[in-house]
Amino acid sequence: SQKIEQNSEALNIQEGKTATLTCNYTNYSPAYLQWYRQDPGRGPVFLLLIRENEKEKRKERLKVTFDTTLKQSLFHITASQPADSATYLCALDGGFKTIFGAGTRLFVKA
Amino acid sequence: GAGVSQSPRYKVAKRGQDVALRCDPISGHVSLFWYQQALGQGPEFLTYFQNEAQLDKSGLPSDRFFAERPEGSVSTLKIQRTQQEDSAVYLCASSLAATSTEAFFGQGTRLTVV
């Protein structure tokens, strides 16, 4: 069955640095991959979508890469801020449904 | 409305009780999804509606779970004879297109079965 792996340990970084989160998947060839942000007690918020024929996509301080050979996506936040502290979810296209990873918790220290 | 609205925000049910969770999607959104999220985990797909048609219910964990969207807008997720393992956050999401991309999520209903 499809499996998504995200860093289960929290990522702690200093304000101003670049945060890099990893998403690996197996047993699947998704047409696209999405990243969502989730704050405690809130629903996920869509950030970026990258398609299988795209290597990289950017939006403001966010950058996503998608390597279909390695079956991996990297999510970067440049010039990180304490307000970026949240859980970031990787999500694969599952036809009608979206298959989510467990998420990686990011803490940005001032 | 401005976003996806779910009610109630919190629900405590005694084991064996029936519950109904409501979702008001963004007006005009074709697709509606229900997910279940356990603590520390990502959302797990339950079911999908395209307008009023339930096209995928493969994620519903048992026949105690039932969802409907009779007029293609508001949806209700019903859980009969609740059990402790049903305790979780239930998230509703909607999207404009008939796909699961760029979905807008509600804040969820936290269900606790005691």
Side-chain angles (χ1 to χ4, degrees):
Chain A
S1 61
Q2 303 124 353
K3 188 174 180 183
I4 303 174
E5 291 183 354
Q6 295 188 253
N7 294 357
S8 57
E9 292 184 13
L11 180 62
N12 290 280
I13 64 167
Q14 198 67 37
E15 182 178 13
K17 301 292 185 183
T18 296
T20 298
L21 285 65
T22 304
C23 174
N24 294 294
Y25 59 93
T26 57
N27 298 330
Y28 200 52
S29 297
Y32 55 83
L33 184 148
Q34 303 180 76
W35 283 88
Y36 282 79
R37 168 184 173 144
Q38 187 172 26
D39 291 280
R42 310 296 294 268
V45 174
F46 171 79
L47 296 175
L48 279 169
L49 179 150
I50 185 165
R51 301 192 183 276
E52 60 180 340
N53 61 346
E54 298 175 311
K55 295 292 185 188
E56 179 181 300
K57 190 165 243 185
R58 293 174 185 262
K59 179 182 175 183
E60 298 172 352
R61 294 184 296 112
L62 308 181
K63 184 178 86 171
V64 172
T65 63
F66 192 11
D67 189 324
T68 55
T69 301
L70 291 178
K71 294 187 181 296
Q72 180 181 80
S73 175
L74 299 179
F75 177 80
H76 306 272
I77 305 175
T78 58
S80 59
Q81 304 166 1
D84 295 328
S85 299
T87 295
Y88 291 87
L89 300 165
C90 170
L92 296 187
D93 147 47
F96 287 136
K97 60 191 176 190
T98 297
I99 303 166
F100 284 89
T104 298
R105 193 85 189 271
L106 172 66
F107 294 98
V108 181
K109 294 182 288 187
Chain B
V4 177
S5 179
Q6 292 188 246
S7 60
R9 284 279 282 131
Y10 304 94
K11 176 69 179 178
V12 178
K14 291 186 177 178
R15 189 167 32 176
Q17 188 179 355
D18 296 350
V19 298
L21 313 181
R22 178 188 168 103
C23 173
D24 279 89
I26 294 173
S27 178
H29 276 198
V30 167
S31 298
L32 186 145
F33 309 85
W34 283 99
Y35 291 87
Q36 181 189 61
Q37 187 172 27
L39 192 64
Q41 300 298 313
E44 294 272 350
F45 172 81
L46 293 177
T47 187
Y48 163 67
F49 290 87
Q50 189 176 111
N51 296 309
E52 68 279 1
Q54 189 175 22
L55 298 187
D56 189 338
K57 55 181 180 179
S58 61
L60 296 177
S62 77
D63 59 8
R64 296 185 296 104
F65 287 71
F66 171 77
E68 60 183 5
R69 192 187 186 198
E71 296 177 359
S73 55
V74 171
S75 177
T76 304
L77 176 66
K78 297 178 180 177
I79 310 174
Q80 297 177 323
R81 305 181 303 281
T82 52
Q83 300 177 6
Q84 283 195 312
E85 61 261 30
D86 300 334
S87 297
V89 174
Y90 290 85
L91 293 164
C92 174
S94 70
S95 64
L96 184 61
T99 67
S100 60
T101 59
E102 302 185 48
F104 292 80
F105 281 79
Q107 293 196 77
T109 294
R110 180 177 295 278
L111 172 66
T112 304
V113 181
V114 298

mmCIF file of all heavy atoms in Angstrom, chain A residues 32 34 36 46 49 95-98, chain B residues 3-4 23-35 45 47-51 69 72-73 92-106:
data_model
loop_
_atom_site.group_PDB
_atom_site.id
_atom_site.type_symbol
_atom_site.label_atom_id
_atom_site.label_comp_id
_atom_site.label_asym_id
_atom_site.label_seq_id
_atom_site.Cartn_x
_atom_site.Cartn_y
_atom_site.Cartn_z
ATOM 1 N N TYR A 32 0.654 14.407 -8.585
ATOM 2 C CA TYR A 32 1.045 15.657 -7.946
ATOM 3 C C TYR A 32 1.220 15.419 -6.457
ATOM 4 O O TYR A 32 0.805 14.378 -5.919
ATOM 5 C CB TYR A 32 0.039 16.776 -8.209
ATOM 6 C CG TYR A 32 -1.386 16.443 -7.825
ATOM 7 C CD1 TYR A 32 -1.822 16.581 -6.505
ATOM 8 C CD2 TYR A 32 -2.284 15.990 -8.775
ATOM 9 C CE1 TYR A 32 -3.125 16.273 -6.159
ATOM 10 C CE2 TYR A 32 -3.584 15.678 -8.428
ATOM 11 C CZ TYR A 32 -3.997 15.816 -7.125
ATOM 12 O OH TYR A 32 -5.282 15.501 -6.780
ATOM 13 N N GLN A 34 1.238 17.719 -2.614
ATOM 14 C CA GLN A 34 0.854 18.982 -1.971
ATOM 15 C C GLN A 34 1.524 19.091 -0.612
ATOM 16 O O GLN A 34 1.849 18.086 0.026
ATOM 17 C CB GLN A 34 -0.668 19.048 -1.779
ATOM 18 C CG GLN A 34 -1.461 18.885 -3.056
ATOM 19 C CD GLN A 34 -2.948 18.948 -2.812
ATOM 20 O OE1 GLN A 34 -3.503 20.023 -2.599
ATOM 21 N NE2 GLN A 34 -3.612 17.806 -2.865
ATOM 22 N N TYR A 36 0.790 21.102 3.115
ATOM 23 C CA TYR A 36 -0.161 21.835 3.929
ATOM 24 C C TYR A 36 0.512 22.220 5.238
ATOM 25 O O TYR A 36 1.409 21.535 5.718
ATOM 26 C CB TYR A 36 -1.381 20.962 4.265
ATOM 27 C CG TYR A 36 -2.387 20.802 3.152
ATOM 28 C CD1 TYR A 36 -2.160 19.914 2.105
ATOM 29 C CD2 TYR A 36 -3.575 21.533 3.152
ATOM 30 C CE1 TYR A 36 -3.097 19.751 1.085
ATOM 31 C CE2 TYR A 36 -4.514 21.377 2.143
ATOM 32 C CZ TYR A 36 -4.256 20.497 1.115
ATOM 33 O OH TYR A 36 -5.182 20.350 0.107
ATOM 34 N N PHE A 46 -3.745 24.762 2.848
ATOM 35 C CA PHE A 46 -2.985 24.469 1.636
ATOM 36 C C PHE A 46 -1.904 25.507 1.402
ATOM 37 O O PHE A 46 -2.140 26.717 1.544
ATOM 38 C CB PHE A 46 -3.936 24.442 0.433
ATOM 39 C CG PHE A 46 -3.231 24.373 -0.890
ATOM 40 C CD1 PHE A 46 -2.723 23.172 -1.340
ATOM 41 C CD2 PHE A 46 -3.070 25.504 -1.668
ATOM 42 C CE1 PHE A 46 -2.070 23.103 -2.554
ATOM 43 C CE2 PHE A 46 -2.422 25.441 -2.875
ATOM 44 C CZ PHE A 46 -1.913 24.235 -3.327
ATOM 45 N N LEU A 49 1.262 23.157 -4.428
ATOM 46 C CA LEU A 49 1.068 21.913 -5.173
ATOM 47 C C LEU A 49 2.129 21.856 -6.253
ATOM 48 O O LEU A 49 2.398 22.868 -6.933
ATOM 49 C CB LEU A 49 -0.335 21.881 -5.795
ATOM 50 C CG LEU A 49 -0.710 20.656 -6.645
ATOM 51 C CD1 LEU A 49 -2.216 20.411 -6.562
ATOM 52 C CD2 LEU A 49 -0.298 20.804 -8.096
ATOM 53 N N GLY A 95 -6.147 9.992 -6.201
ATOM 54 C CA GLY A 95 -7.378 9.992 -6.964
ATOM 55 C C GLY A 95 -8.347 10.967 -6.344
ATOM 56 O O GLY A 95 -8.060 12.142 -6.202
ATOM 57 N N PHE A 96 -9.497 10.469 -5.926
ATOM 58 C CA PHE A 96 -10.470 11.355 -5.278
ATOM 59 C C PHE A 96 -9.986 11.819 -3.907
ATOM 60 O O PHE A 96 -10.424 12.849 -3.423
ATOM 61 C CB PHE A 96 -11.815 10.647 -5.106
ATOM 62 C CG PHE A 96 -12.581 10.478 -6.378
ATOM 63 C CD1 PHE A 96 -13.202 9.275 -6.671
ATOM 64 C CD2 PHE A 96 -12.705 11.523 -7.275
ATOM 65 C CE1 PHE A 96 -13.924 9.122 -7.845
ATOM 66 C CE2 PHE A 96 -13.426 11.376 -8.454
ATOM 67 C CZ PHE A 96 -14.029 10.169 -8.730
ATOM 68 N N LYS A 97 -9.140 11.045 -3.281
ATOM 69 C CA LYS A 97 -8.741 11.387 -1.925
ATOM 70 C C LYS A 97 -7.289 11.840 -1.890
ATOM 71 O O LYS A 97 -6.520 11.604 -2.811
ATOM 72 C CB LYS A 97 -8.920 10.186 -1.008
ATOM 73 C CG LYS A 97 -8.104 8.975 -1.417
ATOM 74 C CD LYS A 97 -8.533 7.756 -0.626
ATOM 75 C CE LYS A 97 -7.803 6.515 -1.074
ATOM 76 N NZ LYS A 97 -8.369 5.288 -0.477
ATOM 77 N N THR A 98 -6.953 12.528 -0.815
ATOM 78 C CA THR A 98 -5.574 12.936 -0.571
ATOM 79 C C THR A 98 -5.012 12.072 0.535
ATOM 80 O O THR A 98 -5.678 11.836 1.542
ATOM 81 C CB THR A 98 -5.525 14.418 -0.170
ATOM 82 O OG1 THR A 98 -6.016 15.214 -1.264
ATOM 83 C CG2 THR A 98 -4.113 14.850 0.162
ATOM 84 N N GLY B 3 -15.438 30.536 4.838
ATOM 85 C CA GLY B 3 -14.625 29.329 4.904
ATOM 86 C C GLY B 3 -15.503 28.131 5.198
ATOM 87 O O GLY B 3 -16.726 28.220 5.231
ATOM 88 N N VAL B 4 -14.852 26.993 5.410
ATOM 89 C CA VAL B 4 -15.560 25.778 5.763
ATOM 90 C C VAL B 4 -15.888 25.835 7.258
ATOM 91 O O VAL B 4 -14.996 26.087 8.077
ATOM 92 C CB VAL B 4 -14.716 24.532 5.446
ATOM 93 C CG1 VAL B 4 -15.447 23.275 5.883
ATOM 94 C CG2 VAL B 4 -14.385 24.485 3.957
ATOM 95 N N CYS B 23 -21.019 19.765 8.523
ATOM 96 C CA CYS B 23 -20.028 20.510 7.749
ATOM 97 C C CYS B 23 -20.740 21.418 6.742
ATOM 98 O O CYS B 23 -21.547 20.956 5.931
ATOM 99 C CB CYS B 23 -19.099 19.555 6.998
ATOM 100 S SG CYS B 23 -17.963 20.392 5.852
ATOM 101 N N ASP B 24 -20.413 22.711 6.808
ATOM 102 C CA ASP B 24 -20.885 23.681 5.806
ATOM 103 C C ASP B 24 -19.709 24.045 4.910
ATOM 104 O O ASP B 24 -18.826 24.789 5.347
ATOM 105 C CB ASP B 24 -21.408 24.938 6.494
ATOM 106 C CG ASP B 24 -22.809 24.790 7.002
ATOM 107 O OD1 ASP B 24 -22.962 24.347 8.164
ATOM 108 O OD2 ASP B 24 -23.732 25.098 6.244
ATOM 109 N N PRO B 25 -19.658 23.541 3.696
ATOM 110 C CA PRO B 25 -18.509 23.830 2.826
ATOM 111 C C PRO B 25 -18.601 25.244 2.265
ATOM 112 O O PRO B 25 -19.596 25.950 2.455
ATOM 113 C CB PRO B 25 -18.670 22.796 1.717
ATOM 114 C CG PRO B 25 -20.154 22.597 1.621
ATOM 115 C CD PRO B 25 -20.669 22.723 3.035
ATOM 116 N N ILE B 26 -17.557 25.636 1.567
ATOM 117 C CA ILE B 26 -17.579 26.922 0.882
ATOM 118 C C ILE B 26 -18.612 26.844 -0.249
ATOM 119 O O ILE B 26 -18.657 25.843 -0.986
ATOM 120 C CB ILE B 26 -16.186 27.269 0.334
ATOM 121 C CG1 ILE B 26 -15.224 27.486 1.513
ATOM 122 C CG2 ILE B 26 -16.227 28.493 -0.567
ATOM 123 C CD1 ILE B 26 -13.784 27.677 1.127
ATOM 124 N N SER B 27 -19.424 27.874 -0.359
ATOM 125 C CA SER B 27 -20.498 27.880 -1.341
ATOM 126 C C SER B 27 -19.955 27.681 -2.758
ATOM 127 O O SER B 27 -18.981 28.314 -3.171
ATOM 128 C CB SER B 27 -21.239 29.219 -1.262
ATOM 129 O OG SER B 27 -22.259 29.288 -2.231
ATOM 130 N N GLY B 28 -20.576 26.762 -3.474
ATOM 131 C CA GLY B 28 -20.167 26.512 -4.857
ATOM 132 C C GLY B 28 -19.105 25.446 -5.024
ATOM 133 O O GLY B 28 -18.781 25.058 -6.153
ATOM 134 N N HIS B 29 -18.554 24.972 -3.913
ATOM 135 C CA HIS B 29 -17.527 23.929 -4.013
ATOM 136 C C HIS B 29 -18.161 22.591 -4.347
ATOM 137 O O HIS B 29 -19.087 22.132 -3.699
ATOM 138 C CB HIS B 29 -16.725 23.842 -2.714
ATOM 139 C CG HIS B 29 -15.617 24.836 -2.647
ATOM 140 N ND1 HIS B 29 -14.554 24.709 -1.768
ATOM 141 C CD2 HIS B 29 -15.376 25.955 -3.368
ATOM 142 C CE1 HIS B 29 -13.720 25.716 -1.951
ATOM 143 N NE2 HIS B 29 -14.203 26.484 -2.910
ATOM 144 N N VAL B 30 -17.610 21.977 -5.372
ATOM 145 C CA VAL B 30 -18.157 20.717 -5.878
ATOM 146 C C VAL B 30 -17.814 19.547 -4.968
ATOM 147 O O VAL B 30 -18.622 18.690 -4.671
ATOM 148 C CB VAL B 30 -17.615 20.464 -7.305
ATOM 149 C CG1 VAL B 30 -17.892 19.034 -7.757
ATOM 150 C CG2 VAL B 30 -18.181 21.481 -8.280
ATOM 151 N N SER B 31 -16.559 19.531 -4.518
ATOM 152 C CA SER B 31 -16.050 18.372 -3.772
ATOM 153 C C SER B 31 -16.100 18.610 -2.279
ATOM 154 O O SER B 31 -15.819 19.710 -1.795
ATOM 155 C CB SER B 31 -14.602 18.082 -4.182
ATOM 156 O OG SER B 31 -14.528 17.744 -5.548
ATOM 157 N N LEU B 32 -16.442 17.551 -1.543
ATOM 158 C CA LEU B 32 -16.447 17.603 -0.081
ATOM 159 C C LEU B 32 -15.841 16.314 0.450
ATOM 160 O O LEU B 32 -16.176 15.221 -0.028
ATOM 161 C CB LEU B 32 -17.873 17.792 0.451
ATOM 162 C CG LEU B 32 -18.004 18.004 1.968
ATOM 163 C CD1 LEU B 32 -19.140 18.974 2.277
ATOM 164 C CD2 LEU B 32 -18.188 16.707 2.718
ATOM 165 N N PHE B 33 -14.953 16.459 1.405
ATOM 166 C CA PHE B 33 -14.221 15.324 1.975
ATOM 167 C C PHE B 33 -14.392 15.307 3.492
ATOM 168 O O PHE B 33 -14.445 16.350 4.132
ATOM 169 C CB PHE B 33 -12.720 15.448 1.680
ATOM 170 C CG PHE B 33 -12.382 15.691 0.232
ATOM 171 C CD1 PHE B 33 -12.387 16.979 -0.281
ATOM 172 C CD2 PHE B 33 -12.053 14.639 -0.595
ATOM 173 C CE1 PHE B 33 -12.076 17.214 -1.604
ATOM 174 C CE2 PHE B 33 -11.731 14.873 -1.931
ATOM 175 C CZ PHE B 33 -11.754 16.156 -2.435
ATOM 176 N N TRP B 34 -14.403 14.107 4.049
ATOM 177 C CA TRP B 34 -14.315 13.925 5.484
ATOM 178 C C TRP B 34 -13.023 13.163 5.789
ATOM 179 O O TRP B 34 -12.706 12.170 5.113
ATOM 180 C CB TRP B 34 -15.506 13.137 6.031
ATOM 181 C CG TRP B 34 -16.775 13.916 6.152
ATOM 182 C CD1 TRP B 34 -17.829 13.942 5.287
ATOM 183 C CD2 TRP B 34 -17.149 14.773 7.244
ATOM 184 N NE1 TRP B 34 -18.824 14.758 5.756
ATOM 185 C CE2 TRP B 34 -18.435 15.281 6.954
ATOM 186 C CE3 TRP B 34 -16.528 15.155 8.437
ATOM 187 C CZ2 TRP B 34 -19.106 16.156 7.813
ATOM 188 C CZ3 TRP B 34 -17.192 16.019 9.282
ATOM 189 C CH2 TRP B 34 -18.469 16.514 8.979
ATOM 190 N N TYR B 35 -12.311 13.628 6.807
ATOM 191 C CA TYR B 35 -11.098 12.976 7.270
ATOM 192 C C TYR B 35 -11.186 12.777 8.782
ATOM 193 O O TYR B 35 -11.856 13.531 9.483
ATOM 194 C CB TYR B 35 -9.856 13.831 6.974
ATOM 195 C CG TYR B 35 -9.493 13.950 5.517
ATOM 196 C CD1 TYR B 35 -10.060 14.926 4.710
ATOM 197 C CD2 TYR B 35 -8.557 13.088 4.944
ATOM 198 C CE1 TYR B 35 -9.727 15.033 3.371
ATOM 199 C CE2 TYR B 35 -8.212 13.194 3.600
ATOM 200 C CZ TYR B 35 -8.807 14.173 2.831
ATOM 201 O OH TYR B 35 -8.462 14.278 1.494
ATOM 202 N N PHE B 45 -8.291 9.704 5.243
ATOM 203 C CA PHE B 45 -9.480 9.844 4.413
ATOM 204 C C PHE B 45 -10.610 8.932 4.908
ATOM 205 O O PHE B 45 -10.405 7.756 5.222
ATOM 206 C CB PHE B 45 -9.128 9.483 2.968
ATOM 207 C CG PHE B 45 -10.305 9.392 2.039
ATOM 208 C CD1 PHE B 45 -10.855 10.528 1.482
ATOM 209 C CD2 PHE B 45 -10.864 8.158 1.727
ATOM 210 C CE1 PHE B 45 -11.932 10.444 0.617
ATOM 211 C CE2 PHE B 45 -11.945 8.063 0.867
ATOM 212 C CZ PHE B 45 -12.475 9.210 0.310
ATOM 213 N N THR B 47 -14.325 9.713 3.453
ATOM 214 C CA THR B 47 -15.271 9.633 2.356
ATOM 215 C C THR B 47 -15.228 10.900 1.515
ATOM 216 O O THR B 47 -14.751 11.932 1.963
ATOM 217 C CB THR B 47 -16.698 9.373 2.882
ATOM 218 O OG1 THR B 47 -17.588 9.132 1.786
ATOM 219 C CG2 THR B 47 -17.216 10.552 3.694
ATOM 220 N N TYR B 48 -15.758 10.788 0.272
ATOM 221 C CA TYR B 48 -15.712 11.896 -0.682
ATOM 222 C C TYR B 48 -17.056 12.033 -1.388
ATOM 223 O O TYR B 48 -17.656 11.036 -1.816
ATOM 224 C CB TYR B 48 -14.610 11.638 -1.714
ATOM 225 C CG TYR B 48 -14.717 12.487 -2.963
ATOM 226 C CD1 TYR B 48 -14.523 13.864 -2.887
ATOM 227 C CD2 TYR B 48 -15.003 11.925 -4.213
ATOM 228 C CE1 TYR B 48 -14.616 14.652 -4.020
ATOM 229 C CE2 TYR B 48 -15.100 12.712 -5.343
ATOM 230 C CZ TYR B 48 -14.901 14.075 -5.248
ATOM 231 O OH TYR B 48 -14.990 14.864 -6.370
ATOM 232 N N PHE B 49 -17.527 13.271 -1.508
ATOM 233 C CA PHE B 49 -18.729 13.598 -2.269
ATOM 234 C C PHE B 49 -18.374 14.537 -3.417
ATOM 235 O O PHE B 49 -17.611 15.486 -3.251
ATOM 236 C CB PHE B 49 -19.756 14.328 -1.380
ATOM 237 C CG PHE B 49 -20.385 13.478 -0.322
ATOM 238 C CD1 PHE B 49 -19.786 13.319 0.917
ATOM 239 C CD2 PHE B 49 -21.590 12.828 -0.566
ATOM 240 C CE1 PHE B 49 -20.362 12.543 1.894
ATOM 241 C CE2 PHE B 49 -22.183 12.047 0.411
ATOM 242 C CZ PHE B 49 -21.566 11.897 1.641
ATOM 243 N N GLN B 50 -18.970 14.252 -4.549
ATOM 244 C CA GLN B 50 -18.944 15.191 -5.664
ATOM 245 C C GLN B 50 -20.390 15.654 -5.832
ATOM 246 O O GLN B 50 -21.245 14.877 -6.273
ATOM 247 C CB GLN B 50 -18.420 14.529 -6.924
ATOM 248 C CG GLN B 50 -18.159 15.507 -8.053
ATOM 249 C CD GLN B 50 -17.541 14.789 -9.256
ATOM 250 O OE1 GLN B 50 -18.187 14.665 -10.291
ATOM 251 N NE2 GLN B 50 -16.321 14.326 -9.125
ATOM 252 N N ASN B 51 -20.642 16.897 -5.476
ATOM 253 C CA ASN B 51 -22.022 17.390 -5.334
ATOM 254 C C ASN B 51 -22.743 16.475 -4.348
ATOM 255 O O ASN B 51 -22.260 16.261 -3.249
ATOM 256 C CB ASN B 51 -22.688 17.483 -6.687
ATOM 257 C CG ASN B 51 -22.001 18.496 -7.585
ATOM 258 O OD1 ASN B 51 -21.789 19.640 -7.173
ATOM 259 N ND2 ASN B 51 -21.635 18.084 -8.789
ATOM 260 N N ARG B 69 -24.842 14.030 1.935
ATOM 261 C CA ARG B 69 -24.781 15.407 1.435
ATOM 262 C C ARG B 69 -25.967 15.556 0.464
ATOM 263 O O ARG B 69 -25.791 15.678 -0.738
ATOM 264 C CB ARG B 69 -23.440 15.652 0.719
ATOM 265 C CG ARG B 69 -23.167 17.119 0.425
ATOM 266 C CD ARG B 69 -21.905 17.278 -0.424
ATOM 267 N NE ARG B 69 -21.561 18.688 -0.599
ATOM 268 C CZ ARG B 69 -20.743 19.133 -1.564
ATOM 269 N NH1 ARG B 69 -20.169 18.286 -2.407
ATOM 270 N NH2 ARG B 69 -20.474 20.422 -1.653
ATOM 271 N N GLY B 72 -26.138 18.519 -2.037
ATOM 272 C CA GLY B 72 -24.884 18.952 -2.639
ATOM 273 C C GLY B 72 -24.213 20.113 -1.958
ATOM 274 O O GLY B 72 -23.275 20.701 -2.512
ATOM 275 N N SER B 73 -24.663 20.451 -0.733
ATOM 276 C CA SER B 73 -23.970 21.521 -0.009
ATOM 277 C C SER B 73 -23.583 21.004 1.382
ATOM 278 O O SER B 73 -22.552 20.367 1.511
ATOM 279 C CB SER B 73 -24.833 22.778 0.061
ATOM 280 O OG SER B 73 -26.102 22.491 0.621
ATOM 281 N N CYS B 92 -13.514 18.280 7.939
ATOM 282 C CA CYS B 92 -14.232 18.376 6.676
ATOM 283 C C CYS B 92 -13.441 19.323 5.769
ATOM 284 O O CYS B 92 -12.854 20.297 6.241
ATOM 285 C CB CYS B 92 -15.638 18.910 6.916
ATOM 286 S SG CYS B 92 -16.589 19.232 5.415
ATOM 287 N N ALA B 93 -13.409 19.025 4.489
ATOM 288 C CA ALA B 93 -12.713 19.894 3.530
ATOM 289 C C ALA B 93 -13.549 19.991 2.266
ATOM 290 O O ALA B 93 -14.287 19.062 1.918
ATOM 291 C CB ALA B 93 -11.328 19.343 3.201
ATOM 292 N N SER B 94 -13.423 21.115 1.578
ATOM 293 C CA SER B 94 -14.105 21.254 0.290
ATOM 294 C C SER B 94 -13.140 21.836 -0.729
ATOM 295 O O SER B 94 -12.161 22.499 -0.373
ATOM 296 C CB SER B 94 -15.356 22.130 0.418
ATOM 297 O OG SER B 94 -15.040 23.490 0.660
ATOM 298 N N SER B 95 -13.398 21.546 -1.983
ATOM 299 C CA SER B 95 -12.594 22.126 -3.053
ATOM 300 C C SER B 95 -13.502 22.470 -4.223
ATOM 301 O O SER B 95 -14.540 21.837 -4.425
ATOM 302 C CB SER B 95 -11.464 21.186 -3.488
ATOM 303 O OG SER B 95 -11.962 20.008 -4.045
ATOM 304 N N LEU B 96 -13.052 23.455 -4.984
ATOM 305 C CA LEU B 96 -13.869 23.980 -6.070
ATOM 306 C C LEU B 96 -14.051 22.951 -7.179
ATOM 307 O O LEU B 96 -15.137 22.787 -7.737
ATOM 308 C CB LEU B 96 -13.228 25.251 -6.624
ATOM 309 C CG LEU B 96 -13.993 25.997 -7.709
ATOM 310 C CD1 LEU B 96 -15.355 26.456 -7.197
ATOM 311 C CD2 LEU B 96 -13.183 27.202 -8.190
ATOM 312 N N ALA B 97 -12.958 22.258 -7.472
ATOM 313 C CA ALA B 97 -12.968 21.328 -8.599
ATOM 314 C C ALA B 97 -13.337 19.920 -8.127
ATOM 315 O O ALA B 97 -13.419 19.639 -6.940
ATOM 316 C CB ALA B 97 -11.601 21.317 -9.268
ATOM 317 N N ALA B 98 -13.498 19.038 -9.076
ATOM 318 C CA ALA B 98 -13.821 17.644 -8.781
ATOM 319 C C ALA B 98 -12.547 16.849 -8.514
ATOM 320 O O ALA B 98 -12.386 15.737 -8.976
ATOM 321 C CB ALA B 98 -14.598 17.025 -9.931
ATOM 322 N N THR B 99 -11.628 17.465 -7.777
ATOM 323 C CA THR B 99 -10.387 16.790 -7.377
ATOM 324 C C THR B 99 -10.114 17.138 -5.929
ATOM 325 O O THR B 99 -10.797 17.958 -5.333
ATOM 326 C CB THR B 99 -9.182 17.261 -8.218
ATOM 327 O OG1 THR B 99 -8.916 18.638 -7.893
ATOM 328 C CG2 THR B 99 -9.453 17.138 -9.699
ATOM 329 N N SER B 100 -9.066 16.536 -5.397
ATOM 330 C CA SER B 100 -8.718 16.794 -3.996
ATOM 331 C C SER B 100 -7.624 17.839 -3.855
ATOM 332 O O SER B 100 -7.043 17.994 -2.800
ATOM 333 C CB SER B 100 -8.265 15.495 -3.327
ATOM 334 O OG SER B 100 -7.129 14.971 -4.005
ATOM 335 N N THR B 101 -7.358 18.568 -4.925
ATOM 336 C CA THR B 101 -6.295 19.561 -4.858
ATOM 337 C C THR B 101 -6.778 20.845 -4.208
ATOM 338 O O THR B 101 -7.943 21.213 -4.314
ATOM 339 C CB THR B 101 -5.768 19.905 -6.255
ATOM 340 O OG1 THR B 101 -6.858 20.399 -7.046
ATOM 341 C CG2 THR B 101 -5.192 18.683 -6.931
ATOM 342 N N GLU B 102 -5.857 21.500 -3.520
ATOM 343 C CA GLU B 102 -6.112 22.819 -2.931
ATOM 344 C C GLU B 102 -7.400 22.830 -2.127
ATOM 345 O O GLU B 102 -8.273 23.687 -2.293
ATOM 346 C CB GLU B 102 -6.142 23.896 -4.014
ATOM 347 C CG GLU B 102 -4.846 23.962 -4.803
ATOM 348 C CD GLU B 102 -4.816 25.103 -5.797
ATOM 349 O OE1 GLU B 102 -5.158 26.230 -5.421
ATOM 350 O OE2 GLU B 102 -4.425 24.851 -6.950
ATOM 351 N N ALA B 103 -7.534 21.862 -1.262
ATOM 352 C CA ALA B 103 -8.737 21.767 -0.436
ATOM 353 C C ALA B 103 -8.693 22.766 0.712
ATOM 354 O O ALA B 103 -7.631 23.073 1.251
ATOM 355 C CB ALA B 103 -8.881 20.352 0.106
ATOM 356 N N PHE B 104 -9.865 23.259 1.080
ATOM 357 C CA PHE B 104 -10.020 24.164 2.212
ATOM 358 C C PHE B 104 -10.628 23.348 3.365
ATOM 359 O O PHE B 104 -11.692 22.741 3.205
ATOM 360 C CB PHE B 104 -10.940 25.331 1.857
ATOM 361 C CG PHE B 104 -10.352 26.270 0.853
ATOM 362 C CD1 PHE B 104 -10.376 25.965 -0.504
ATOM 363 C CD2 PHE B 104 -9.766 27.460 1.244
ATOM 364 C CE1 PHE B 104 -9.830 26.828 -1.442
ATOM 365 C CE2 PHE B 104 -9.222 28.337 0.312
ATOM 366 C CZ PHE B 104 -9.253 28.014 -1.037
ATOM 367 N N PHE B 105 -9.944 23.372 4.487
ATOM 368 C CA PHE B 105 -10.382 22.584 5.634
ATOM 369 C C PHE B 105 -11.123 23.436 6.654
ATOM 370 O O PHE B 105 -10.803 24.620 6.844
ATOM 371 C CB PHE B 105 -9.181 21.944 6.335
ATOM 372 C CG PHE B 105 -8.660 20.713 5.666
ATOM 373 C CD1 PHE B 105 -7.844 20.799 4.555
ATOM 374 C CD2 PHE B 105 -8.988 19.454 6.152
ATOM 375 C CE1 PHE B 105 -7.359 19.655 3.927
ATOM 376 C CE2 PHE B 105 -8.517 18.310 5.540
ATOM 377 C CZ PHE B 105 -7.694 18.405 4.424
ATOM 378 N N GLY B 106 -12.069 22.818 7.343
ATOM 379 C CA GLY B 106 -12.673 23.420 8.512
ATOM 380 C C GLY B 106 -11.778 23.212 9.720
ATOM 381 O O GLY B 106 -10.724 22.566 9.628
#
